[in-house]
Amino acid sequence: MTDDATTPAADDAGTGSRYGPDSPGRAEPAGRAGDVPPGAPAGTDQPAGQRRPPDPAARRRRRLTIAGIAGAAVLVLLVCGCLGAFAAGLGRFARESDHERTAQARGEDACRELERRLNRLTPPGAAGSPGERAAAIRDENAAVRPFLSEIERLRGWWNEDPDDDRDGRGESWQRLVDARASYADALDRQVTNGEPAFFIAPRDPAGRPVVDRLQHGPEECASAARRLGAPDL
């Protein structure tokens, strides 16, 4: 046997190849799929220092979720505000209604009290002389003064037009009392010097007879206004 037959075996046993590790003819094996490049973290397919870009769909969902939570919070605040305003309005309406009922009841009571006081007095028409008539008028005017004080405290209810405080029912009653006082003074002058006395029925700034206005209240006040509006009869 020759030495050529054993040469490859010896080469294979020593190196596993016909070429040594430093032989220029040795080819490196190609990289396999899934191999991690040198310096890259294990378990990733990307080089170190790189991040996968965020998913646009996930970002959109996150924004929609935040917007939905904010919208729900605003809606809850609006509902709470509306409920609070509604409750406050109901409370104010209830207080105003209660005040109106109380004022109306007090006004009607004042009318009844006025009628009772007038019924205890002799009407001016039953007087036998101008002097007696003047005294009877003043007695009735004195009976009206507590009534005037009471309705002054109920000014809002007694006004026919709540937006016009210049001549409500309180002012109309006062005009009537003043006209009666002037008539009583004229009767005194008639006694003194014979000057004829005349009752001048009062009118409001619009020219309407105040007695006509006063008869639109409770029946007790309407009958009192008719009596007080005719001191010369």
Side-chain angles (χ1 to χ4, degrees), residues 74-84:
V74 171
L75 181 61
V76 169
L77 291 176
L78 287 176
V79 170
C80 291
C82 291
L83 289 176

Side-chain angles (χ1 to χ4, degrees), residues 103-125:
Q104 183 173 359
R106 288 178 58 184
E108 292 173 353
D109 289 342
C111 289
R112 285 188 285 269
E113 289 294 328
L114 172 61
E115 188 179 37
R116 280 194 287 268
R117 287 193 299 270
L118 291 176
N119 288 337
R120 291 195 293 264
L121 300 174
T122 301

Side-chain angles (χ1 to χ4, degrees), residues 4-166:
D4 293 338
T6 61
T7 300
D11 291 342
D12 291 340
T15 63
S17 171
R18 295 187 62 183
Y19 304 99
D22 297 330
S23 174
R26 182 183 177 88
E28 294 293 335
R32 295 187 303 273
D35 288 347
V36 179
T44 65
D45 296 335
Q46 303 176 12
Q50 293 186 1
R51 296 290 183 269
R52 180 177 298 175
D55 186 4
R59 183 181 298 176
R60 240 184 345 262
R61 287 194 297 270
R62 186 164 52 251
R63 289 176 179 172
L64 290 175
T65 301
I66 295 173
I69 293 174
V74 171
L75 181 61
V76 169
L77 291 176
L78 287 176
V79 170
C80 291
C82 291
L83 289 176
F86 181 71
L90 282 180
R92 184 167 55 253
F93 176 77
R95 288 191 299 271
E96 291 176 354
S97 298
D98 184 65
H99 174 72
E100 183 177 355
R101 288 192 297 269
T102 301
Q104 183 173 359
R106 288 178 58 184
E108 292 173 353
D109 289 342
C111 289
R112 285 188 285 269
E113 289 294 328
L114 172 61
E115 188 179 37
R116 280 194 287 268
R117 287 193 299 270
L118 291 176
N119 288 337
R120 291 195 293 264
L121 300 174
T122 301
S129 65
E132 292 176 355
R133 177 171 295 201
I137 290 173
R138 292 188 176 99
D139 290 342
E140 287 183 338
N141 284 355
V144 177
R145 289 193 187 97
F147 173 76
L148 293 177
S149 298
E150 179 65 17
I151 64 174
E152 180 64 24
R153 290 189 288 268
L154 304 174
R155 187 181 184 88
W157 180 68
W158 281 96
N159 286 345
E160 290 180 343
D161 185 359
D163 296 330
D164 184 8
D165 291 337
R166 293 172 299 175

Side-chain angles (χ1 to χ4, degrees), residues 213-224:
R213 299 186 64 189
L214 297 177
Q215 292 186 69
H216 294 157
E219 180 55 34
E220 293 83 355
C221 276
S223 60

Side-chain angles (χ1 to χ4, degrees), residues 141 171 173-183:
N141 284 355
E171 285 81 359
W173 280 101
Q174 186 61 57
R175 287 176 183 273
L176 179 57
V177 170
D178 292 342
R180 286 167 51 84
S182 297
Y183 180 51

